[in-house]
Structures are given as C-alpha cells and as structure tokens.
Amino acid sequence: MRLAPPRLPSVPALRSLASVRSLASVRSLRSGGAVAAALLAALVLGGVLLSVAGSDPLDGYDALLTGAFGSRYGLGETLVRALPLALIALGVTPALRAGVFTIGAEGQLAVGALAATATAVGLGGGAPAVLLLPTAAVAGALAGGAWAVLPALLRVRARVNEILSTLLLNYVALALLNYSLRTWLGTSTGDSTLQSDPLPAPAMLPNLLTGTRLHWGVLAAPLAAAALAWWMRTPRGLAYEVLGANPALAARVGVRRGRAVAGAMVVAGAAAGFAGWLKVAGVDGTLYPSVSGGLGFSGVLVALLGGLRPAGILVAALVFGALSAGADGLQIDTGVPASLATVIQGLLLFFVAIGFEARRRRRGVA
C-alpha cells in the first residue's frame, strides 16, 4: 500500500512553529532602517568622491536626480532600466528565501532573449501582434526556466553547489548567444556587428509614454510583485521560509527539499528569461551579445537589497534604475564620469552587507 505524501500544515500552524517565530530576528535584518542607513552612508561617501573628482556634491546629486526624474525621457529611462532588475529579483526571491543562492540569471536572461528573438523572427512580420507577443514571451520564459533545470538537478541529485553551476552556465549561455548571432540567427544584411535582424513591428511592445522608451511591459513588475506577495502568505510560501531557516524542521512538516529547490530555481530562470524577452521586445528591438549587460547579477543584488520582500524589491530596483539613468545627466552636467553611479551602487550594497551582518551578530542569529 502506497502512503500518501504528508500535506503541508495550515498557515496558522506554520506561523506558530517555534522555528518560524525565531525567524523574526532574521526578518528584522531586512528592515527598511538598515537599508536607509546604508543608502545614506553610500551617498555621503559618494559625495566625497564627487568632491575628489572636482564637482560640488550637491550639484552632482542634483544632476543625478534631474537625469533620472527631471524629464519625461529621464523618468521613462529610470523605469525601463528598473524593470528587468525587478523581475529578476522577484523571480529569484523564492529560491533565496529557501536558502538557495542561484546566480544564473545572467545566462538565463540571455537564453530567454535568444529564444524570444528566434521565435519572433522565425514567425515573421506576417503574424499579428496577438500571436507574436505572447508566443515570444512564453518562449523566453520557457527557455530561461529550461536553462535552470540542469543546475537544479545537479543541486538536488549530486549536491553540486548551485553558485558554481549557475555561474559556469552563464558563460555557456553567452557563448551560445554569440555562436547563434554568428551563424543561424545573425543579421541577413551582412553587417559585421554581431546582431540579429530587427524584430517584426508586431513583435514589439507598444510604447506607454510618448517620447520615451517606456513600454507596456513595465506593468509586469507590479503584477509580479503582487503575485509574490500573495504566494508568500500561502502555506507553500511560508514553508519555503522554514526550509531556508531549518531544513530538518521543514522535512518534518512535509516539505520535499528536492522539489522545492528545483522548483524555485526553475521559477527564477523563467523570470530571467521573461526579462530577456522584455529587453528585446520592449527596448532594443534587436538581439545583441550584450543583452544581459550585468542585469542578472544586479537583479540578485536588488533582491537582497529589497529584503526579499516585493515592495522593497520594487523600491530597490527603482533606486538602481535611477542611478543608471541619472548617470548620463551627471556626466553631461558636471563632467564626472558616469561610472560613478556604478560605484555608488557598489557602496550601497557594501554598507547594506555591513549593516545586516552587524545586526545579525548583535541578535545572535546563526
């Protein structure tokens, strides 16, 4: 006689577990106060760097904010650049909450963009938007999720560290992208630049804000955040948090670790692949080898900076998007290299890590 697998406890039962209550100290490490203090410290040190570069810090930050929010185009750029970061961060959050540190979004985004572009170009311009848009979107998400299957299996079956496997597969994905653009997916015009043919007009997402690159795909971020917020309140979502804090207890309450880990990694891959489709169909219009451009790694950092919470992730993505979009205005108005915005991002993450570790030690969280 085959026994039925144990069912997850109800939400109240999960919340009443001593281990779940002990996670309150861990959740407090993800508080807005720590992030706000880290942001202030990063801005202060960034001001020092602006002074060293020969610019008044207040003028520099004014130029940064003006470049990010001071015009219709700047606002559109901020939101466009925040969108893939938010989607990648929201997608990887279930895995991080379960204690699985997957950093394969860079390659998964590239593979998703590759599959979406191949689908859109392959179907051709004769197909209507109602067919091209969802088909390419699904192809991107499926490709990203499929690219996460191998490291998920290695993690579950062979106990291969997911950081190592996903990192190495990023290079394989980028090599596959370059090969595809050199051969079967390369431009038909004979241009020496590695790129695909432009996507058919019906395969491009409609513009949302005139005079900008902001498209209707930006609505995917709040929708994904709402879905994640709902999932986190379900028994499965709470069980993932128990799994991340106490795997032994999670097993006793019916959580299958292998299935949970694999599912979380595939979901993270699908979100990154979907972001790859948005990058091509919403902004670039053509697939380039640089489509990922560090977005995969930054997205994981945005998830951590946002405290693995949907609202926090949206705010963190907006901050990163503003720093990226405002960097051009900073360089034009003050002459300070735009790369300083990247330095400020790094400082922000550095101070957040210090603050979280200090609070962890004070509270004695293992």
Side-chain angles (χ1 to χ4, degrees):
M1 178 178 177
R2 183 177 180 181
L3 297 178
R7 298 181 62 183
L8 288 177
S10 64
V11 171
L14 279 168
R15 285 177 173 163
S16 68
L17 290 172
S19 177
V20 175
R21 289 200 301 269
S22 72
L23 288 176
S25 57
V26 179
R27 294 192 192 99
S28 69
L29 300 180
R30 306 195 291 255
S31 67
V35 174
L39 178 60
L40 179 61
L43 291 177
V44 169
L45 190 51
V48 173
L49 294 177
L50 282 169
S51 298
V52 172
S55 173
D56 181 85
L58 294 180
D59 290 341
Y61 283 129
D62 179 67
L64 191 68
L65 288 174
T66 300
F69 302 106
S71 66
R72 177 192 294 260
Y73 181 80
L75 177 61
E77 283 299 294
T78 296
L79 294 176
V80 160
R81 300 187 188 197
L83 174 59
L85 297 175
L87 289 176
I88 291 170
L90 292 167
V92 80
T93 291
L96 294 176
R97 292 176 73 90
V100 181
F101 202 86
T102 171
I103 54 174
E106 191 83 0
Q108 292 152 3
L109 185 150
V111 171
L114 173 62
T117 302
T119 301
V121 172
L123 290 176
V130 70
L131 172 64
L132 283 177
L133 288 174
T135 303
V138 170
L142 289 177
W147 200 254
V149 170
L150 178 58
L153 291 176
L154 290 174
R155 174 69 168 81
V156 173
R157 300 295 185 185
R159 297 184 180 180
V160 175
N161 186 282
E162 68 276 8
I163 298 177
L164 177 62
S165 61
T166 53
L167 179 62
L168 292 177
L169 278 175
N170 286 338
Y171 294 99
V172 177
L174 296 177
L176 175 62
L177 174 60
N178 276 272
Y179 171 78
S180 299
L181 292 178
R182 290 181 187 277
T183 54
W184 61 276
L185 194 59
T187 177
S188 58
T189 61
D191 196 319
S192 59
T193 302
L194 281 184
Q195 63 184 51
S196 70
D197 284 330
L199 265 65
M204 293 294 297
L205 285 162
N207 190 270
L208 179 61
L209 190 62
T210 305
T212 72
R213 298 194 298 172
L214 186 63
H215 51 82
W216 280 94
V218 72
L219 299 179
L223 291 175
L228 178 61
W230 168 82
W231 176 82
M232 286 168 54
R233 294 178 178 274
T234 65
R236 179 63 59 180
L238 290 169
Y240 270 54
E241 189 158 354
V242 177
L243 176 63
N246 192 329
L249 176 61
R252 288 200 295 271
V253 298
V255 178
R256 295 184 176 181
R257 179 173 179 81
R259 178 179 296 181
V261 168
M265 293 182 69
V266 170
V267 166
F274 186 81
W277 166 71
L278 285 175
K279 184 73 164 49
V280 178
V283 180
D284 298 337
T286 300
L287 180 61
Y288 298 100
S290 59
V291 62
S292 52
L295 291 172
F297 297 120
S298 297
V300 176
L301 297 177
V302 164
L304 297 173
L305 183 61
L308 306 184
R309 294 170 176 169
I313 287 172
L314 292 181
V315 172
L318 189 62
V319 169
F320 270 57
L323 286 172
S324 177
D328 296 334
L330 174 67
Q331 181 165 335
I332 293 172
D333 292 349
T334 67
V336 175
S339 56
L340 181 64
T342 304
V343 175
I344 295 176
Q345 291 180 358
L347 290 173
L348 175 58
L349 295 167
F350 175 71
F351 286 118
V352 166
I354 290 178
F356 285 179
E357 178 63 15
R359 297 190 66 175
R360 186 189 70 82
R361 290 178 180 274
R362 284 200 305 269
R363 293 176 179 271
V365 179

